[in-house]
Amino acid sequence: MPPSFLEGLHPVRSCSYPVADLLPHAPPMVLLDEVLGWDQGHVMTALTIHSESPFFMENSGIPSYVGLEYMAQTCGVYAGIEGFNLGQPVRLGFLLGTRNFHASTNWFCLGQRLIVDATEIYRQETMGIFGCRITHDDVELASAQLNLYQPNDASGTFSNL
């Protein structure tokens, strides 16, 4: 992903919905703390790394590859906001693949406040591609392009497992 990919994009609308209401996850798997803002095709979330955070490892922090889940949940938050604004319930979504994942660090450290940006690149019905990045103090720590699928009805998705 080119460095200028998300430069200058900042959400302009605030979001009053709690993150947990926007995702089909239950604690402790709601990994994000808050929605900072959103606009058409873009959303920004935040979380702070605590010793009680899921995946936290004493003396190290959280492995940077967990950032993929932070990115996926941020995309889920965007879908949740869209759904709520249309009067629809939160729907299950799936991360199908990741392209160009890059992390400039191996660990997210205790006390870091991470900002997660997701920008829609492509969307057609139930398929979408989002460009995502994670920053701390305006320094990019990780970026990736996520390929996502959100079925209209996922009720039978796991019934045969």
Side-chain angles (χ1 to χ4, degrees), residues 49-51 53-63 65 107-108:
I49 305 300
H50 300 281
S51 59
S53 299
F55 311 107
F56 184 83
M57 298 175 159
E58 189 81 24
N59 299 320
S60 297
I62 295 179
Y65 59 78
W107 301 94
F108 299 129

Side-chain angles (χ1 to χ4, degrees), residues 34 43 73 84 101 120-121 125 138-139 144:
E34 65 179 309
V43 65
Q73 286 194 17
F84 273 23
F101 176 72
E120 186 176 273
I121 297 171
E125 297 178 23
D138 294 321
V139 175

Side-chain angles (χ1 to χ4, degrees), residues 25-92:
H25 297 66
M29 283 309 299
V30 176
L31 304 180
L32 305 173
D33 294 337
E34 65 179 309
V35 181
L36 297 178
W38 72 283
D39 203 349
Q40 183 63 41
H42 188 227
V43 65
M44 186 182 294
T45 62
L47 67 135
T48 300
I49 305 300
H50 300 281
S51 59
E52 301 83 29
S53 299
F55 311 107
F56 184 83
M57 298 175 159
E58 189 81 24
N59 299 320
S60 297
I62 295 179
S64 60
Y65 59 78
V66 175
L68 288 171
E69 181 63 19
Y70 298 154
M71 293 174 191
Q73 286 194 17
T74 298
C75 295
V77 161
Y78 180 76
I81 292 169
E82 280 189 325
F84 273 23
N85 288 340
L86 296 172
Q88 299 171 351
V90 170
R91 296 186 351 234
L92 188 63

Side-chain angles (χ1 to χ4, degrees), residues 140-159:
E140 185 173 288
L141 300 180
S143 62
Q145 184 174 302
L146 276 57
N147 299 324
L148 306 160
Y149 171 65
Q150 187 177 39
N152 291 321
D153 180 11
S155 60
T157 303
F158 298 108
S159 61

